[in-house]
Amino acid sequence: VQALPVALAMIVGFVLATGAEASVVRAAIMGSLVAIAKGVGRLANMQNVLALAGAVMLAISPRLLRFDLGFALSFLSTVALLVFSDPIARRSFIRYLPKAFGIREAAASSAAAILITLPLILYVIGKIGPFSLLVNILVVPVVPFAMGLGAAAVAADFVWHPLAAPLVWATRLLLGYIISVAEYFGRFGALQVRLNAFFALLLFLGVVGGLWF
């Protein structure tokens, strides 16, 4: 309980530092609710936490639902991770991928997010990266290591600047890998497929039905 104000202050500081985008605010509200639940000795149901975070944001600004694509994609992606990533990991080809380095988890999470957000993306943007799943499989397992090393480098620099040098080098190496993967597959361009609202809704229902049953 004593650490709760510090945790909430850090979450607020992160939101302010990153520009308070809708996806960041949604994550911050969810993180705050989970922190509060743990602080009072309760377990948080993530589906309920997500629903409450979305309700709070829409109550404050209903325009988010129509005019902020980032909010919709963030919300749908989180639903996909919470509800559909496990079934995909068990029932699709992804179950044959190795668990090492979080490869299977990254593939299942990415596939769920891509499938659930695909109808909205095709309706609003009309483009989809043909190698998006492969790129996520190659990149996502590396991201936590890059973030951890980056944070360690910042902390080490406060202690003694030379101590941070090898950490910075390792972080740059991982970030260079991520950028190289993105640039390589970015050369292939995107598929142009635009759907109207009716067919986007049909596709969404088909995806959800297929994953659910």
Side-chain angles (χ1 to χ4, degrees):
V1 177
Q2 294 178 346
L4 182 58
V6 176
L8 295 178
M10 292 179 65
I11 291 173
V12 172
F14 177 78
V15 171
L16 296 177
T18 54
E21 295 288 336
S23 58
V24 177
V25 173
R26 188 269 310 154
I29 294 175
M30 292 183 67
S32 300
L33 292 172
V34 171
I36 292 171
K38 289 185 176 180
V40 298
R42 300 288 297 273
L43 294 177
N45 181 290
M46 294 309 297
Q47 286 89 341
N48 292 341
V49 169
L50 175 61
L52 182 56
V56 169
M57 294 181 68
L58 291 176
I60 295 173
S61 179
R63 292 169 59 88
L64 287 172
L65 192 60
R66 181 174 182 182
F67 297 106
D68 195 319
L69 180 61
F71 168 78
L73 291 176
S74 173
F75 191 86
L76 288 174
S77 296
T78 308
V79 170
L81 297 179
L82 293 176
V83 179
F84 297 112
S85 60
D86 285 343
I88 287 177
R90 292 194 308 267
R91 302 188 307 194
S92 71
F93 73 93
I94 290 174
R95 68 181 182 272
Y96 299 113
L97 295 177
K99 291 184 178 180
F101 304 106
I103 293 175
R104 185 184 302 178
E105 181 182 359
S109 300
S110 300
I114 290 170
L115 288 171
I116 294 299
T117 58
L118 179 62
L120 181 61
I121 291 174
L122 294 182
Y123 170 63
V124 177
I125 302 175
K127 296 180 181 179
I128 185 67
F131 298 103
S132 53
L133 178 58
L134 177 58
V135 170
N136 277 279
I137 292 174
L138 294 174
V139 166
V140 170
V142 179
V143 172
F145 295 100
M147 294 178 64
L149 285 171
V154 173
D157 191 60
F158 279 107
V159 178
W160 187 40
H161 180 70
L163 185 64
L167 296 173
V168 170
W169 178 84
T171 303
R172 292 184 63 181
L173 185 67
L174 293 180
L175 293 177
Y177 165 76
I178 293 172
I179 293 171
S180 297
V181 171
E183 289 180 342
Y184 176 78
F185 286 98
R187 300 172 184 172
F188 297 97
L191 297 177
Q192 304 280 340
V193 182
R194 183 174 292 276
L195 300 179
N196 60 31
F198 176 74
F199 285 107
L201 178 60
L202 283 183
L203 178 59
F204 178 77
L205 295 176
V207 170
V208 171
L211 293 176
W212 192 268
F213 298 106

